[in-house]
Amino acid sequence: MVGAMNNERERQIFAQRFGLFIGLATIVMLFVAMTSALIVRQGAGNWVNINLPYQFWISTAIILLSSVTMFISKKAHKQMEVQRFRIFFWATFILGVAFIINQWLGYFALAKSGFYINGINSYQYVYVISMTHLAHVGVGLLILLYTGIKTSVQKFNPNYHHIIGFISVYWHFVDLLWIFLFIFFQLKFF
Amino acid sequence: METTETHHGHAHSNTGAYITDHVHYQDVEGVIRSEEDHGHHDSDRNKKNFIHTWIFSQDHKIIGKQFLITGIIWAIVGGAFSNIFRMQLGFPDTNMSWIGNVFGDRWVENGHMTNDFYNMLITMHGTILVFFVLTAGLSGTFANILIPLQCGARDMASPFLNMLSYWFFFMASIVMAASFFLPTGAAGVSWVFYPPLSAIRDASLGSKGGADMWLISMSLFIFSSLLGGLNYITTILNLRTKGMSMAKLPLTIWALLITAILGVLSFPVLLGAAILLIFDRTLGTSFYLDKIYIENVGAQPHEGGNPILYQHLFWFLGHPEVYIVIMPAFGMVSEILSVNSRKPIFGYRAMVLSMLAIAALAFFVWAHHMFVTGLNPFVGSVFVFLTLLIAIPSAIKVFNWLTTIWKGNIKYTPAMLFAIGFVSLFISGGLTGIFLGNSSIDIQLHDTYFVVAHFHIVMGIGAFFGMFAGVYHWFPKMYGKFMNRTMGFIHFWLTFAGAYAIFWPMHYQGLAGVPRRYPSHAGYESFNKFGELSEFITIAALVVFAAQLLFVFNFFYSIFRGKICHEQNPWKSNTIEWTTPIKPGHGNWEGEIPTVHRWPYDYGKDGQDFIPQTMPIQPGESAHHV
Ligand code: HEM
Ligand SMILES: [Cu+2]
């Protein structure tokens, strides 16, 4: 019977993973909409090229790094190396916080150079799109925080692995999304 | 964190005790819980308190009813609004100062409703009916009730997210309802929410706080739809019972699947549009705004944006949205026509393919709502071509429905009448779509009552008919009772005749150029000749609204006093939702979920009236292959 139960459990987990990817597809569509708007605006002419201050480059490095720590932590969970898992999981969380702080520093830098949120059109797009992305990182951080606390105070549970897997998929996704946006902002289509 | 992995004793435990034998729920924390042993099921339920069973229930059937009842309440509100503004349009001289007593004196001027009040009513009428009733109330209800039952699943893939989906809808409802109590009232910039009216607070009364609340409410609503949609897709694709291949799925499920896919791909785009709009409104950005001057207010500080951008984003959602509204009706109507004609659905494969084609095309026709925005005529002609292509799969569906009932042994239940009525409405409304799809004609007809007639017949009334058909048909599954037939027939005939009486004349008004969204046509010489026609329309609207109250009465009366359903399968139907107990508990089937062996439309085959999906293919029998 236990075999059958596992089978059922796997089916559930598979279904949930499937649902997660549909969820990511909806986020993709959200950004497709917003980036298309930028392209349309660029095509209308009178477009000021976007030059992102160095803070955004640092953010990019940070979030890339956080994907690496997430990867290590997930692997450690699989190998049941509790200590390593916890350290790298929390490292991911801290890097996530650092990313958010850095993005804000980036906005301050923009504002300091006179590119206010209601200023030049092209930078308005930088604000709205990157802040929407930031909100998704924020949601990820809440999940990381919740799971981090849970896995730190409770006994290690190998059955939790698929949850860690879901979280890491989401985290890599917001990471990739940022890399894409970061490049996208600096492209010229017309 | 415990994982329940033990297998409790089972009355019917046998070799077939397959994986689907228990209800397994995985809560958010990833704990597998199994709700075991159906002998204890009922007592477990009794122990659970009221809140868990009825309010924060994770049972898809309860959630479906929550969507339905919330939808009914909204439908009454939205419908009542239309009656109020029709009063003004039909009887411009009547004193309407009672509005002041109900809604506040600020909405009345010289015994007439103010223009702002009119705008608020039409905006809320459209928003409520399109989104809250015909999207949440329709998809939410039937996706929830039918997907697990017809696919053969214990519940949705994630019952928890499913519950959240309803509660996000509920919060959206609260925010929208609360917006009426602002001194400036609810949003009044029309359901399509075009800037600049919607983007500048000072543009009108309805652009102020009510518009903010609308945007918040719609964001919650979008979240609700997305949570629901991803659950529906996941469940249909992953949690079907043994033997239920995609080719054996009832068309209802195909329709709900395609609806959900449309939703998850298009609603995020509306969210994107809304975020840009929120920025324009609150942070002074100029995504949708360029230099603009408002009378009595002055020049606005925006520069460089374009309001047409919003229209592109909106209609990229908006057109798929109209198919989100109608698609579940496609599915239910197909099912109900086949069951009540005692004949297999004609062209199952063509039905699925045409729905897929309509869904795919839905993403490439949005600019047909924008022919008069200064669209490049060449681009316009591409959109004309793509738009007219929709007529092909639509016609296929209509012919298949007609062929299905042709020479059938028709059982005229209220559900069947509404299903047939749907086909009629879909033809009438679809035909006018072809007029509008030609840009050269649309330039004349855009923003006239012709458009109002088109989309109310095909979408408004059409989808409502699908919904009524579904409610009458699956009411025994939901409540173990029947709805009253006689009231059902009266409801049908009043609504069917009444709906045409309301919307048919609007075509003539539209052809003559009567514009939509005007608080009154009374002051215009050229429209005077339609005064009596407008009166007639208003009277018809009042009658139809009253007929809906009869339905509402029948619905609630039958829940408590309806004829009790003693048969497990009252309509002699093939689909597996009728193999559960008459009133299924959480988990749906006692014991194993049945295995499926055949497609759901074996009616009148080999001299048998019907052969349920659970019946194995007999030796020598030729099975239906798609
Ligand atoms: C052959 C099929 C159809 C064609 C060619 C078609 C074409 C059109 C066109 C060109 C318009 C824009 C009219 C204008 O604003 O000037 C329109 C409006 C509309 N259509 Fe259709 N349509 C079809 C079927 C449908 C269906 C099946 C639905 C819904 C279930 C629907 C719902 C709507 C709605 C809601 C609007 C108006 C929205 C608004 O402006 O407020 N249409 N249709
Ligand atoms: Cu359309």
Side-chain angles (χ1 to χ4, degrees), chain B residues 479-534:
Chain B
Y479 295 103
K481 309 250 174 65
F482 290 101
M483 284 181 75
N484 183 295
R485 264 173 88 97
T486 314
M487 277 195 260
F489 291 140
I490 300 172
H491 174 221
F492 171 76
W493 285 110
L494 284 177
T495 312
F496 185 67
Y500 272 117
I502 301 172
F503 295 111
W504 200 261
M506 285 187 189
H507 291 106
Y508 298 102
Q509 296 185 329
L511 287 169
V514 178
R516 64 192 283 211
R517 301 195 176 112
Y518 274 35
S520 166
H521 301 115
Y524 302 87
E525 191 85 44
S526 45
F527 305 139
N528 278 347
K529 60 174 171 290
F530 293 116
E532 279 168 21
L533 203 54
S534 277

Side-chain angles (χ1 to χ4, degrees), chain B residues 36-53:
Chain B
E36 297 273 37
D37 206 336
H38 305 281
H40 299 170
H41 206 101
D42 278 354
S43 55
D44 277 359
R45 275 172 74 83
N46 293 344
K47 265 184 250 153
K48 274 197 199 155
N49 55 28
F50 176 81
I51 302 234
H52 266 282
T53 316

Side-chain angles (χ1 to χ4, degrees), chain B residues 221-243:
Chain B
F221 179 84
I222 291 168
F223 214 68
S224 155
S225 304
L226 294 178
L227 287 176
L230 69 89
N231 229 331
Y232 308 152
I233 298 173
T234 308
T235 309
I236 296 173
L237 293 183
N238 294 292
L239 300 180
R240 302 187 306 279
T241 187
K242 249 178 46 173

Side-chain angles (χ1 to χ4, degrees), chain B residues 315 318-319 322-323 365-366 368-369:
Chain B
W315 287 114
H319 186 83
V322 306
Y323 283 98
V365 299
W366 77 89
H368 66 211
H369 297 274

Side-chain angles (χ1 to χ4, degrees), chain A residues 1 4-5 8-9 12 14-16 18-19 22 26 29-30 41 117-118 121 124-125 146 150 157 160 162, chain B residues 1 3 7 17 19 24 26 29 32 233-234 237-238 240 265 268 272 283-287 303-304 309:
Chain A
M1 245 14 252
M5 302 292 285
E8 168 70 354
R9 181 161 187 267
Q12 272 276 1
F14 182 84
Q16 289 177 349
F18 190 90
I22 297 174
T26 68
M29 286 308 290
L30 174 62
R41 173 61 190 84
I117 199 163
N118 59 354
N121 284 174
Q124 296 179 359
Y125 277 101
Y146 176 80
K150 212 170 155 85
N157 179 1
Y160 214 67
H162 68 281
Chain B
M1 55 172 10
T3 311
H7 179 231
I19 50 170
H24 290 275
Q26 187 152 28
E29 288 135 42
I32 303 263
I233 298 173
T234 308
L237 293 183
N238 294 292
R240 302 187 306 279
L265 292 179
L283 296 167
T285 53
S286 309
F287 297 114
E303 195 176 345
L309 170 65

